[in-house]
Amino acid sequence: MEVDGPFQANTSSAQLSGALAGLSIALLPADLTAPHMAAGQLQEVLSDYASGAIRVHFVYHSRRHLPRAVAALIEFAATTIKDLSLMQPASPKDVLVKRGSPQH
């Protein structure tokens, strides 16, 4: 596996860009990498190191007097995550990818 120098990123889009450019490997959600893997731009590596499910939690003080704005934000985020298929409710699989086609 060839990697061209140090690369650090703290967002999935930057990690994906780095992997596509051949700068790094990246641990990313399968839904994000699937089109690139199908096109042969990325390949799965280190499959034994998948991170498993990623959970999102909304933390707030109390439900009793939950401000409307907070309730609206929670509803909006949950709906958006579901509608855009950003996370799957049943055991999502993250994959570690690098640039290139799978080796046979």
Side-chain angles (χ1 to χ4, degrees):
M1 172 183 338
E2 225 176 281
V3 178
D4 293 334
F7 178 79
Q8 294 182 4
N10 61 3
T11 66
S12 58
S13 61
Q15 291 174 25
L16 177 60
S17 295
L20 288 168
L23 300 174
S24 65
I25 61 173
L27 181 62
L28 295 165
D31 290 348
L32 186 61
T33 60
H36 302 287
M37 291 177 71
Q41 298 169 314
L42 296 174
Q43 73 180 52
E44 185 172 355
V45 296
L46 304 172
S47 58
D48 292 341
Y49 293 92
S51 69
I54 297 173
R55 293 190 168 97
V56 175
H57 299 272
F58 292 94
V59 180
Y60 46 90
H61 187 266
S62 170
R63 272 193 161 158
R64 197 168 12 170
H65 298 291
L66 188 64
R68 283 186 184 174
V70 174
L73 173 64
I74 292 169
E75 181 63 29
F76 171 78
T79 301
T80 302
I81 288 168
K82 180 182 173 197
D83 290 349
L84 296 178
S85 299
L86 298 176
M87 299 179 81
Q88 300 297 322
S91 65
K93 180 184 179 203
D94 293 342
V95 293
L96 196 58
V97 295
K98 76 172 194 106
R99 179 178 67 170
S101 305
Q103 296 180 356
H104 299 284

